[in-house]
Amino acid sequence: MGRTWEVPTPRGPARLALDPAAGPARGLLVLGHGAGGDVDAPDLVAVRERAVAAGLTVVRMTQPYRVAGRRAPAPAAHLDEAWTAAVAALRADGAVAAGLPLLV
């Protein structure tokens, strides 16, 4: 497994969990959880495992409201702001993105 870290967003910190590709990375897949869920949900774990095996680096993002311990989702516009900021931070991190095609 890879690393986990937090990135700032306008709505508080988002948590990112990195799973490196098996072999040379062919792309970067960013996954998010459902309302009230988390990034260890069985469906996301299954997608992560398949994507890593297929040569994708996977980052699972926990929204700021979940990092803060809340279960009820934030308004859609707040989720979008956090998502946009987290993806921008990933793209700026050359160690993670390294010019890879982005899938969300």
Side-chain angles (χ1 to χ4, degrees):
M1 292 296 165
R3 66 181 175 134
T4 300
W5 73 105
E6 292 184 356
V7 296
T9 80
R11 298 297 167 179
R15 186 173 305 122
L16 304 177
L18 172 76
D19 296 292
R26 300 180 339 172
L28 173 64
L29 173 62
V30 184
L31 300 172
H33 56 82
D38 64 33
V39 296
D40 292 321
D43 57 344
L44 290 181
V45 171
V47 169
R48 175 198 70 196
E49 290 172 2
R50 295 283 185 139
V52 165
L56 298 176
T57 293
V58 177
V59 173
R60 293 169 292 138
M61 177 191 158
T62 302
Q63 281 279 351
Y65 77 91
R66 294 292 292 154
V67 173
R70 296 188 300 274
R71 299 236 1 120
H78 295 186
L79 299 174
D80 291 347
E81 286 177 345
W83 186 260
T84 300
V87 170
L90 282 170
R91 297 302 278 171
D93 186 338
V96 174
L100 296 172
L102 176 66
L103 303 155
V104 292

